[in-house]
Amino acid sequence: EIVLTQSPGTLSLSPGESATLSCRASQSVSSSYLAWYQQKPGQAPRLFIYDASSRATGIPDRFSGSGSGTDFTLTISRLEPEDFAVYYCHQYDTSPRTFGQGTKVEIK
Amino acid sequence: QVQLVQSGPEVKKPGASVKVSCGASGSTFGDYYMHWLRQAPGQGLEWMGWINPNNGDTNSGQKFQGRVTLTRDTSSTTVYVDLSRLRSDDTAVYYCARAGPVDGLPGPFPIWGPGTMVTVSS
């Protein structure tokens, strides 16, 4: 199975700053079948990025995804108060589908 | 607007079984794979398996094989996950999620149910 390793575990930032989240795969993710989700406490995850770099419906353009192969990045420019949450990467290239362990973006 | 509605919280004893339902409205039921995932308290997301609502084909993660059964009822556009021989580490929120079309490319999970809390405790 493809193991996804996210870093850092926690990112402490202030509103208005930029965030860079990393997701590294144990083997290549074909066709960039890599997604990013945001999850807030008590809520289901919400799809933000799919196919490594495509924004899901309604996601603001301050969120961008990049990468291919084994290295992927989620960048959040100009953090807004509602952006502080946990972010998970997810590969849907091979079975079993797997997730990273999450990166928590917290207010500094 | 597609919505997924899940059944209510469950409390079960170790060794028992639990069946969680997920009803889909606002979409063509058989057109999209439905997946089940879970999240233990304070932990990350774990994929369990999928079902093709069109023909009932299923696939589950090796960790759950022999304990999980995925079914669907086309008349009520509902999918189910049945987990047997419950252990305390099965305590988690169980989510259903709609994925890509059954006749298309693999897809992520754009639509999620609200989750069902299953507690396993003696």
Side-chain angles (χ1 to χ4, degrees), chain B residues 2-72:
Chain B
V2 177
Q3 284 195 322
L4 301 178
V5 179
Q6 296 187 225
S7 48
E10 302 266 10
V11 179
K12 296 291 183 181
K13 293 193 182 301
S17 297
V18 68
K19 190 170 186 176
V20 178
S21 68
C22 170
S25 64
S27 72
T28 304
F29 178 68
D31 287 355
Y32 296 88
Y33 286 104
M34 293 293 293
H35 292 242
W36 287 94
L37 307 97
R38 72 180 187 178
Q39 186 172 35
Q43 303 301 308
L45 296 158
E46 182 174 35
W47 176 80
M48 298 179 69
W50 58 253
I51 184 166
N52 178 339
N54 194 35
N55 60 16
D57 284 350
T58 64
N59 177 256
S60 59
Q62 192 169 11
K63 174 178 179 178
F64 299 100
Q65 286 177 7
R67 281 210 304 145
V68 71
T69 304
L70 305 180
T71 56
R72 94 290 193 207

Side-chain angles (χ1 to χ4, degrees), chain A residues 51-94:
Chain A
D51 292 351
S53 60
S54 298
R55 276 187 299 277
T57 303
I59 304 305
D61 60 8
R62 64 178 182 274
F63 289 87
S64 63
S66 63
S68 64
T70 60
D71 288 293
F72 299 88
T73 300
L74 173 68
T75 302
I76 314 170
S77 60
R78 307 180 309 278
L79 280 162
E80 298 284 345
E82 63 267 27
D83 300 338
F84 292 92
V86 178
Y87 293 83
Y88 294 97
C89 60
H90 160 230
Q91 67 81 20
Y92 45 100
D93 177 29
T94 64

Side-chain angles (χ1 to χ4, degrees), chain B residues 57-104:
Chain B
D57 284 350
T58 64
N59 177 256
S60 59
Q62 192 169 11
K63 174 178 179 178
F64 299 100
Q65 286 177 7
R67 281 210 304 145
V68 71
T69 304
L70 305 180
T71 56
R72 94 290 193 207
D73 180 342
T74 55
S75 63
S76 64
T77 62
T78 300
V79 295
Y80 302 88
V81 60
D82 193 319
L83 189 62
S84 63
R85 302 193 300 279
L86 289 168
R87 307 184 293 255
S88 58
D89 61 358
D90 290 317
T91 294
V93 176
Y94 288 74
Y95 293 102
C96 60
R98 200 190 83 170
V102 297
D103 59 354

Side-chain angles (χ1 to χ4, degrees), chain A residues 3-27:
Chain A
V3 176
L4 299 178
T5 303
Q6 292 187 239
S7 61
T10 302
L11 211 44
S12 298
L13 296 166
S14 301
E17 292 189 299
S18 294
T20 302
L21 287 66
S22 173
C23 177
R24 179 161 290 178
S26 61
Q27 60 194 77

